[in-house]
Amino acid sequence: MTQPLSTPTLRVHRVTQDDPLAAPLLAELALEYSSRYGRTPGEVHASLREHPATAFAPPHGALLVVTRDGEAVAGGAFQRYDAHTAELKRIWTSREHRRQGLGLFVLEQLEAEIARRGYRRIYLTTGPRQPEAVGLYLAAGYRALYDPDLPAEQIGPHPFEKQLPALGAIA
């Protein structure tokens, strides 16, 4: 079931992994990762579904999809990493809607939801062939947990963290 929140031009929906609004997110992520990392879209799509749907469901996680005029344009998810840490996953902006601030908007929505759940830290990794994601996380105040002077491929997955003030109790 979709539960929309509203902003003037965008709508944020809390969805389940099998919600039709999440389908474009998963499909485009599969294509993006396959083109960047040399795996087939089917292999990537299967790996995106390896996380059980419950990982991105309340009380410990969420999957958000942002729509504009009914079209899914961006999204992202988080799951419990540990008692005080949420892990971001599947941050996505549709190709046709990039460079409009939607990635940052998604991060802000996820961070607000994470803080409401009482987490105090956010952790994530992004791949070495995703410099746009690295730039987004650095611009949003995430701290790189790797040596940025090393070549991206030598680092492998790029870990980041961000500390949040505790606003509530973890459900």
Side-chain angles (χ1 to χ4, degrees):
M1 179 171 89
T2 302
Q3 301 171 0
L5 306 170
S6 295
T7 68
T9 59
L10 301 171
R11 290 185 72 191
V12 179
H13 306 263
R14 288 184 184 101
V15 300
T16 60
Q17 191 166 264
D18 60 353
D19 189 295
L21 280 177
L25 179 151
L26 295 173
E28 194 165 317
L29 277 177
L31 287 173
E32 186 80 24
Y33 293 167
S34 67
S35 69
R36 291 185 187 224
Y37 296 102
R39 295 169 51 195
T40 70
E43 289 172 325
V44 175
H45 198 273
S47 72
L48 289 172
R49 291 201 169 270
E50 285 177 2
H51 290 281
T54 56
F56 305 120
H60 302 298
L63 174 58
L64 304 180
V65 174
V66 177
T67 60
R68 180 182 288 145
D69 298 325
E71 176 187 4
V73 295
F78 70 88
Q79 64 184 3
R80 181 185 186 102
Y81 187 77
D82 65 33
H84 305 288
T85 308
E87 180 181 17
L88 291 180
K89 304 293 278 183
R90 302 178 181 164
I91 308 301
W92 163 79
T93 301
S94 166
R95 282 189 161 150
E96 296 82 28
H97 298 92
R98 291 183 182 164
R99 310 212 45 84
Q100 299 175 23
L102 292 169
L104 186 56
F105 179 78
V106 167
L107 284 179
E108 290 168 350
Q109 297 300 309
L110 288 166
E111 288 173 5
E113 186 68 26
I114 288 166
R116 280 191 293 275
R117 304 279 179 93
Y119 292 108
R120 295 189 305 253
R121 176 178 175 256
I122 300 173
Y123 173 79
L124 69 95
T125 60
T126 193
R129 297 180 185 169
Q130 295 172 257
E132 308 90 343
V134 169
L136 171 65
Y137 300 129
L138 292 172
Y142 286 77
R143 183 172 71 89
L145 300 175
Y146 60 91
D147 182 349
D149 293 328
L150 293 174
E153 293 291 334
Q154 186 177 339
I155 297 166
H158 290 45
F160 291 86
E161 73 173 355
K162 187 174 189 177
Q163 300 296 325
L164 298 175
L167 298 178
I170 297 175

